[in-house]
Amino acid sequence: MRKQNVSIVIGGAIGLVVSSIHYLGMAAYRVDGVVEWNTTYVIASIIIPVVFCTATFGHFPKYKFMSKRLISIGAFTVAVVGLHFTAMTAINIIPFNLSDMPMSTDAFYGMAMATAAGGFLVLVTGLVSFVIDSSTREANSQEIERLVATDALTGLPNRRSFREHIENTLAGFETNPLSNFAVLYIDINGFKVVNDTLGYSVGDVVLKTFADRMSETLSSGEYIARLGKDEFAAVKVYNSANELEAFVQKVEDSIEIPIEVEEESIELDLAIGIACCPTDGHYADELTSNAELALRRAKSNASDSICYYDANMDDVVRHHREMVRNLRQAILKNELQLYYQMQANVQTGELKGFEALLRWTHPEKGPISPALFIPIAEENGLIIQLGDWVLKQACKEAALWEKPYKVAVNLSPMQLMQPNLPKRIHEILLDTGLSANRLEIELTETAIFEDRERSVHVLRQIKALGVNVALDDFGTGYSSLEVLRSFPFDKIKLDRFFMDEIETSSVAKAFLRSVLALGRNLSIPVLAEGVETENQLRILQEEGCDAIQGFLLHKPSREVPFEHNLDFADTHSVKSAAGPSDNLFSMVKLETRRG
């Protein structure tokens, strides 16, 4: 609309210019007589070129058809001719009586020829300009369409063209259902290593070489496109399985010959996922999605880099992708909740605080275990967003508690690698109003050893805020003592694995004694996780453990049980609180173990 308005203004301006040129010419013409002007015709001579020039430049050029464009030329001609005859009618000359001789015949015909030649020149100029403009527009339009449909680096069709080709092929199969066709998704294995070690310019040469090799071998019914990065796609129309296998082999052969770039001989191979029509789908979205699923399996399969779509095997991947989408929606729609599990003093039963546990109840599928969705969040980059939500929500809810108990929140290794983590924790504490000494951050030794020097630096910044830092799952790593030497933790949490064996294994009991002795020597309290039986509690009391957490106290709940009876002197009251038969699903927390 804006372009058309500009064109209308330009057309009107050109009409005024044409009128001005005519009247400037008339003003320069010397006449031996009295000149009289008819105002009505003068105004009409100005309006006519303005109106028709506006139509010429503002309306008709938008049509692509030749007939409409010819109307544009006609409108401009009417503007010029209309101006001329109307303006000439507007003037009346009363000549002085200088001579009775009429104009000579030769002079009259000369003037007529000059006028005709001038008019003809205007028309020819207009036609030539139109032809040049039309050819230029056509060439520009074709170039734009080519750029839109083509990959700039390889010259192959791009993702958009690939999609259109599949849809056109499907449309053709409605009239000729005897043939089959396959959609291939192709990925160059090891291409990232080429980019990282040899540079992007070398990577570009590799992509272009592969594209050129494929293009040179294409025959009827075969199509290749680049989707992006090192991802390509192909279509093969075939009548027999042998024809499809031959095409797949041709694709493989295109990369088998080493690519020579800057004195480097680069050897690569491909991963190929294949979906066939009609067996694997009847629509473009269905076929491309299934081919992509088969490609994922081919990339993860060390024994076979060519995989055909298999509904049973690829449903696992499909379910994984659906889970990622649902988890993103759960974060946006606040479908997540925090449950809290008690932490208490072993000897007195005094309530010490609560650990925040993440729960997700899908509106249709019901409760989904953190053991399932936390690894998915890690793999797909959602764990940072998820962990941030847990941290903020736990602080927000704890700030509203009736009593100022501590709240413990588990951090993932990926969160710990964020350079702005201390700043983010400080912002959350300020926003929620929770005192820093009421927040306890829990992390595993594995998380710290991802980058020990960096992790310790971040932890010192967090501790400087007044936040407590606990070492979670102590004893499951390979260098627990080294971690304790690196940083002054406020608490050691003994992994529940040892509670499972403490009643029957002398080794587990000996390890417990060693950890408790270590904690006393370093002045770090020790909390035992996963306490479920009275006998486990009795052993921990005898060995001098500081605190416990587990189903024996109370199962995790949405409401914080501030007034719960924790009188450990009365074993009956302990037993009535909860038992090992409670739902173990509730014990799963937001944690990201490696290995």
Side-chain angles (χ1 to χ4, degrees):
M1 178 62 70
R2 185 177 178 183
K3 285 185 176 180
Q4 186 173 3
N5 291 337
V6 172
S7 298
I8 290 173
V9 172
I10 293 174
I14 291 175
L16 290 174
V17 170
V18 171
S19 301
S20 301
I21 291 174
H22 175 84
Y23 282 105
L24 283 173
M26 292 298 295
Y29 185 65
R30 181 169 178 265
V31 179
D32 291 329
V34 177
V35 178
E36 295 180 348
W37 292 94
N38 186 317
T39 306
T40 303
Y41 280 105
V42 170
I43 295 173
S45 69
I46 296 174
I47 293 175
I48 289 173
V50 170
V51 170
F52 281 93
C53 284
T54 298
T56 298
F57 291 93
H59 180 64
F60 295 114
K62 70 180 182 179
Y63 294 104
K64 296 182 178 180
F65 301 105
M66 181 62 70
S67 59
K68 299 295 184 180
R69 293 186 178 182
L70 289 175
I71 294 176
S72 178
I73 297 174
F76 185 74
T77 303
V78 171
V80 175
V81 174
L83 164 67
H84 176 74
F85 286 105
T86 307
M88 294 307 295
T89 304
I91 189 172
N92 181 34
I93 301 175
I94 302 174
F96 296 137
N97 190 16
L98 298 177
S99 174
D100 293 332
M101 289 184 61
M103 181 183 293
S104 67
T105 304
D106 292 341
F108 178 81
Y109 282 116
M111 183 177 292
M113 291 297 294
T115 303
F120 179 74
L121 182 62
V122 170
L123 290 175
V124 170
T125 303
L127 287 171
V128 171
S129 299
F130 170 76
V131 172
I132 294 175
D133 180 67
S134 298
S135 61
T136 303
R137 284 189 182 184
E138 189 68 25
N140 290 340
S141 177
Q142 291 177 357
E143 179 63 16
I144 290 172
E145 290 180 4
R146 187 190 68 80
L147 292 175
V148 169
T150 305
D151 175 60
L153 175 64
T154 62
L156 293 177
N158 58 16
R159 185 183 293 272
R160 172 188 169 186
S161 299
F162 175 69
R163 174 60 181 261
E164 290 178 354
H165 182 80
I166 293 180
E167 291 177 345
N168 292 336
T169 305
L170 285 169
F173 268 63
E174 294 180 1
T175 57
N176 182 23
L178 299 179
S179 300
N180 300 299
F181 82 93
V183 176
L184 289 73
Y185 266 50
I186 306 163
D187 189 88
I188 301 178
N189 292 326
F191 180 74
K192 186 178 185 302
V193 177
V194 174
N195 270 344
D196 293 343
T197 57
L198 301 178
Y200 288 97
S201 60
V202 174
D204 289 347
V205 174
V206 170
L207 294 175
K208 195 169 186 319
T209 302
F210 172 69
D212 291 343
R213 290 178 179 177
M214 278 298 305
S215 299
E216 292 170 359
T217 62
L218 292 180
S219 57
S220 177
E222 299 174 354
Y223 184 89
I224 185 78
R226 184 191 178 204
L227 305 183
K229 295 183 180 179
D230 61 332
E231 299 173 355
F232 293 80
V235 172
K236 170 63 178 177
V237 178
Y238 64 96
N239 294 312
S240 67
N242 292 336
E243 292 181 17
L244 176 58
E245 291 175 4
F247 178 70
V248 173
Q249 186 61 51
K250 184 164 60 176
V251 173
E252 280 195 300
D253 292 342
S254 298
I255 204 73
E256 280 192 353
I257 303 174
I259 299 174
E260 307 293 335
V261 186
E262 297 181 2
E263 299 182 356
E264 294 283 348
S265 182
I266 302 172
E267 297 184 7
L268 299 167
D269 58 6
L270 302 175
I272 303 174
I274 306 171
C276 301
C277 178
T279 55
D280 299 329
H282 298 83
Y283 305 99
D285 286 337
E286 192 177 9
L287 288 167
T288 55
S289 176
N290 290 342
E292 186 177 2
L293 290 173
L295 175 63
R296 284 174 176 256
R297 187 155 43 86
K299 292 174 69 173
S300 62
N301 193 341
S303 60
D304 190 2
S305 60
I306 301 174
C307 290
Y308 287 80
Y309 173 73
D310 185 312
N312 294 327
M313 298 180 69
D314 292 322
D315 275 348
V316 176
V317 180
R318 193 189 305 278
H319 177 71
H320 178 95
R321 293 167 65 182
E322 182 183 359
M323 185 70 71
V324 173
R325 288 194 299 270
N326 290 339
L327 184 55
R328 284 198 177 97
Q329 291 298 316
I331 297 173
L332 295 175
K333 295 180 179 179
N334 290 321
E335 295 176 1
L336 304 170
Q337 288 183 321
L338 292 181
Y339 278 56
Y340 295 94
Q341 187 165 43
M342 254 181 225
Q343 297 176 344
N345 183 285
V346 169
Q347 305 300 333
T348 65
E350 178 188 0
L351 190 59
K352 306 296 290 184
F354 298 87
E355 179 177 5
L357 311 177
L358 182 63
R359 297 286 295 273
W360 176 22
T361 302
H362 191 277
E364 297 177 0
K365 300 177 182 179
I368 299 177
S369 169
L372 175 62
F373 71 79
I374 292 301
I376 290 177
E378 282 188 301
E379 294 171 10
N380 294 274
L382 293 176
I383 194 66
I384 301 296
Q385 186 178 358
L386 197 62
D388 187 80
W389 183 91
V390 171
L391 184 62
K392 185 174 183 178
Q393 190 67 17
C395 291
K396 180 180 178 181
E397 294 181 3
L400 301 176
W401 289 349
E402 299 173 5
K403 298 182 180 180
Y405 289 114
K406 288 185 178 180
V407 60
V409 179
N410 190 273
L411 290 186
S412 74
M414 293 184 183
Q415 282 179 278
L416 190 59
M417 295 302 293
Q418 298 298 303
N420 65 336
L421 179 61
K423 179 182 177 182
R424 180 57 183 155
I425 292 176
H426 188 223
E427 290 174 348
I428 290 175
L429 291 174
L430 292 176
D431 290 343
T432 60
L434 184 73
S435 300
N437 60 2
R438 290 185 57 199
L439 175 62
E440 183 172 87
I441 297 298
E442 297 183 1
L443 43 92
T444 65
E445 58 192 272
T446 306
I448 296 173
F449 267 86
E450 290 280 332
D451 186 340
R452 190 179 68 176
E453 184 176 343
R454 178 189 182 90
S455 299
V456 170
H457 175 69
V458 172
L459 290 178
R460 292 187 188 280
Q461 290 179 300
I462 294 174
K463 195 172 176 66
L465 297 174
V467 175
N468 296 281
V469 181
L471 180 60
D472 197 13
D473 297 342
F474 185 81
T476 59
Y478 51 84
S479 52
S480 300
L481 296 179
E482 178 64 19
V483 174
L484 287 176
R485 187 189 68 81
S486 302
F487 182 80
F489 289 92
D490 298 295
K491 182 186 292 182
I492 296 173
K493 298 190 71 174
L494 189 64
D495 188 78
R496 63 174 297 150
F497 167 79
F498 298 101
M499 289 302 100
D500 295 338
E501 299 185 352
I502 198 171
E503 298 175 87
T504 57
S505 171
S506 59
V507 174
K509 192 175 294 186
F511 184 85
L512 172 65
R513 293 193 184 103
S514 299
V515 173
L516 293 175
L518 180 64
R520 284 191 291 270
N521 290 332
L522 297 176
S523 300
I524 303 176
V526 177
L527 180 146
E529 294 184 286
V531 179
E532 298 182 359
T533 68
E534 297 172 10
N535 194 35
Q536 290 174 345
L537 172 61
R538 181 184 58 79
I539 295 173
L540 293 172
Q541 288 175 329
E542 292 174 353
E543 299 297 337
C545 186
D546 298 284
I548 63 169
Q549 174 180 326
F551 273 32
L552 183 61
L553 302 179
H554 194 278
K555 68 178 181 179
S557 63
R558 184 75 187 93
E559 300 298 327
V560 179
F562 294 119
E563 305 301 334
H564 192 71
N565 182 13
L566 297 174
D567 185 6
F568 289 166
D570 184 355
T571 57
H572 177 73
S573 65
V574 173
K575 184 176 180 179
S576 64
S581 61
D582 286 324
N583 184 10
L584 292 179
F585 165 71
S586 302
M587 269 299 293
V588 186
K589 63 186 175 183
L590 174 60
E591 60 181 3
T592 51
R593 300 182 182 179
R594 303 291 185 183

